[in-house]
Amino acid sequence: MGVHLNQQDIRLAIADVSHSVILEKSIEVEPGYSPQCAAAVVRDIVTVAYGVCGLDISALLGVGVSVCGPVSPGGMVQRANGMPTWAGVNISQIFGAVLEKPVFADNESNCSALAEIMWGAAAGYEDFVLLKLDLGVGGAIVRNGKVITGVAGGGGEFGHMSIEPNGGLCRCGNRGCLEVQIGVDRSLQEMSRLYGRIITIYDVSAMASQGDVGARRMIEDMAEQAGRGLALIGTIINPPLVIVSGRMTRAGDMLLKPLVAVYEKHTLMKARDVPSPMRTRVMIGKLAENDAVLGAVGLALRGLAALP
Ligand SMILES: [Zn+2]
């Protein structure tokens, strides 16, 4: 089973050992909920869901948990960016005590990368980079089929590369992070003020498709900043594949084309300089909406397979 702990909802997916997803569910929760509350909610849902499927809870083998924020290899939330009170909380221990199953926890972007390996656009790739463009900006680095977590769980946190030293203050405590420079949340607030109604992340691509100049400009500006950030990553890693995911990818080529152009402009190894098989492919992920929860399923499947 996979669980994605969002700020305002908990998503859950159950798969069998052949990796087929047999149930997906989403539950709204009060903002600021505790991890203990989340574990109890998940236990109750799973008990009901297994009953509906005619299964006994003993058939549940393990649980993967996707969390907003860096998670150490032991399951501890290191910095609570998305969940302000969760720093130092050990997700694996809390969920393990309530569910009485092996629990494997990781950062949501790392889970997204795992989902793209197992069910999505990275199938067949051993090495790639994922850049997640949503209300926040996340990322993951995959090397030899494994997500690089780093020594403390902070590997691949591209959204918090400080690219403008005097830029706006970020929720991580730094200034001018890529996430701040891209500023999806800020742009949505600006648009909402300008248009006199709430503009959500779901509205922007639809408005842009219909020719709205404000929405198009927002996507172009975002592509510019994201492309520059991605070019830094490309220069360091020179990956064979970049997967762009997150809800902003609903904009499709309106986002991808300018992003790739800016990436090409600023990265070292340009497509024109190398033969086709050595070019970095940049593509939109296949699992933009439910990638984190599917990745949590993958985390459980991989974690269980690695147990002695
Ligand atoms: Zn930051």
Side-chain angles (χ1 to χ4, degrees):
M1 176 176 71
V3 178
H4 175 49
L5 303 175
N6 240 331
Q7 280 157 296
Q8 294 185 359
D9 67 359
I10 295 175
R11 293 189 181 193
L12 196 143
I14 297 171
D16 60 23
V17 286
S18 70
H19 299 190
S20 298
V21 176
I22 51 180
L23 182 103
E24 283 191 71
K25 201 166 174 56
S26 172
I27 314 103
E28 282 193 18
V29 283
E30 289 291 320
Y33 65 93
S34 70
Q36 288 84 358
C37 163
V41 166
V42 168
R43 180 195 55 207
D44 293 347
I45 295 166
V46 172
T47 306
V48 172
Y50 266 60
V52 170
C53 296
L55 294 169
D56 188 86
I57 195 74
S58 62
L60 177 63
L61 298 176
V63 183
V65 183
S66 151
V67 186
C68 308
V71 178
S72 75
M76 186 176 289
V77 180
Q78 299 294 78
R79 288 179 62 102
N81 290 349
M83 304 292 194
T85 59
W86 288 25
V89 166
N90 192 307
I91 292 293
S92 296
Q93 282 178 6
I94 289 172
F95 273 70
V98 173
L99 296 167
E100 298 177 331
K101 302 288 176 186
V103 176
F104 311 90
D106 203 347
N107 165 262
E108 66 168 315
S109 296
N110 290 349
C111 287
S112 299
L114 205 48
E116 294 289 355
I117 294 171
M118 298 179 84
W119 291 281
Y125 279 86
E126 287 284 295
D127 302 308
F128 71 98
V129 159
L130 178 128
L131 178 69
K132 191 161 189 176
L133 301 174
D134 207 278
L135 289 175
V137 175
I141 303 167
V142 176
R143 176 80 178 138
N144 294 333
K146 290 188 176 170
V147 180
I148 293 178
T149 56
V151 67
E157 286 280 359
F158 304 136
H160 298 285
M161 297 188 298
S162 181
I163 58 172
E164 178 54 62
N166 299 314
L169 195 62
C170 180
R171 61 192 169 109
C172 74
N174 218 331
R175 277 195 182 277
C177 291
L178 182 61
E179 179 175 291
V180 173
Q181 297 302 111
I182 289 176
V184 174
D185 214 13
R186 186 184 64 243
S187 296
L188 291 174
Q189 286 173 23
E190 273 176 6
M191 286 179 69
S192 298
R193 253 197 324 273
L194 194 65
Y195 288 70
R197 60 186 170 90
I198 302 286
I199 307 286
T200 71
I201 196 166
Y202 293 107
D203 298 326
V204 178
S205 55
M207 290 167 67
S209 300
Q210 290 159 10
D212 183 279
V213 290
R216 287 196 167 193
R217 178 59 192 260
M218 178 194 163
I219 291 167
E220 284 167 16
D221 288 349
M222 177 179 190
E224 168 84 29
Q225 295 292 342
R228 286 175 60 194
L230 193 57
L232 293 174
I233 301 157
T235 301
I236 296 165
I237 299 175
N238 188 210
L241 173 69
V242 174
I243 292 178
V244 186
S245 74
R247 286 176 291 181
M248 281 309 298
T249 59
R250 284 172 165 241
D253 279 349
M254 285 185 292
L255 172 72
L256 195 65
K257 281 190 173 174
L259 190 154
V260 170
V262 175
Y263 174 82
E264 282 297 313
K265 183 177 173 187
H266 293 284
T267 198
L268 176 68
M269 302 300 284
K270 301 184 192 306
R272 64 170 183 264
D273 296 334
V274 293
S276 177
M278 292 185 184
R279 290 174 188 159
T280 297
R281 291 183 66 202
V282 184
M283 60 194 290
I284 289 175
K286 285 190 181 164
L287 308 163
E289 301 292 325
N290 59 353
D291 54 349
V293 69
L294 282 180
V297 172
L299 198 62
L301 289 167
R302 281 192 164 194
L304 288 166
L307 285 179

